[in-house]
Amino acid sequence: MTPSASPIPMGARRLILVRHGAVSRVPRAGWPDIAPVRDGAFYGGNIDVPLSQRGEAEAHAAATWIAEKHADEVACVWSSPMSRALFGARAIATAVQSSATQRCTVSSVSTHEAFREFDRGMWTNMTKEEVEADPRWGTDSFARCAREPMYGRNECKGEGMGDLKDRVLTERDELLSTLLPGSAAVLVSHLWVTRSLLGEALGEEDPLAVDVPTASVSVVDYPARFKGQAGVLGMPADCRPIVIYAAHKPELEAAVDASLDVGQAEI
């Protein structure tokens, strides 16, 4: 079902969440040079992998969708500093600038280190199967890393999920405070960053239960009385984030879709 966009409620601020498109695990011309990432391996915030041709097409499809549905709401575009997210953020900024029927305040993309993808630590360039076969971690390690706040830091020497949520939600709160009521910001980032934001808004504590396809768009409204991450669970219902729609993936044109390899992305 195609979601419909509703007006921003009085006094609220809107956040449009976008995950980057499908990636390439090998270097591509015009992108930062990387050592190849093995099929199925984790790369997270540790390797600046490029988008694939499919990922670029997905990013443009998301940009078109946002420009068609939300152009006159968008006041700014925020992004992870990683190139796979920046590509989509710049495409969105350009599309919004071209489509807005009112005065457009989007002039550029601002990057924020706090929205970088999850640090995989020792798991970087290892597959899930390899990780779970390793006696240092074991068969339930992937789920534990996702669900236990400090597992990633203590066991993988990377980042705990609690670390990621804290940096992402703290930056979100700070940036929302700079956004004028009645306007929207677009945030282009990654799977686990988007899961932390969308999961909070949905009231879903298990990040593995939050579906975020590549180049999908989710819209969350934050009421005027929203006080930030610390108060979400204890807030009255009318003060909590409201999910307008979640994980909508704009379709590619059939001919484009048929011409591209199946996309890849980290789980």
Side-chain angles (χ1 to χ4, degrees), residues 180-217:
L180 289 175
S183 62
V186 180
L187 169 56
V188 185
S189 62
H190 308 273
L191 173 61
W192 294 96
V193 174
T194 307
R195 275 178 163 165
S196 67
L197 291 159
L198 190 55
E200 179 205 51
L202 291 168
E204 177 54 71
E205 296 184 1
D206 182 0
L208 295 177
V210 181
D211 183 38
V212 185
T214 54
S216 60
V217 182

Side-chain angles (χ1 to χ4, degrees), residues 7-15 176 179-184 220-226 242:
I8 302 174
M10 183 176 296
R13 296 168 173 87
R14 174 166 287 179
L15 193 51
L176 274 184
L179 190 64
L180 289 175
S183 62
V220 181
D221 285 347
Y222 294 87
R225 294 174 63 198
F226 176 72
I242 301 165

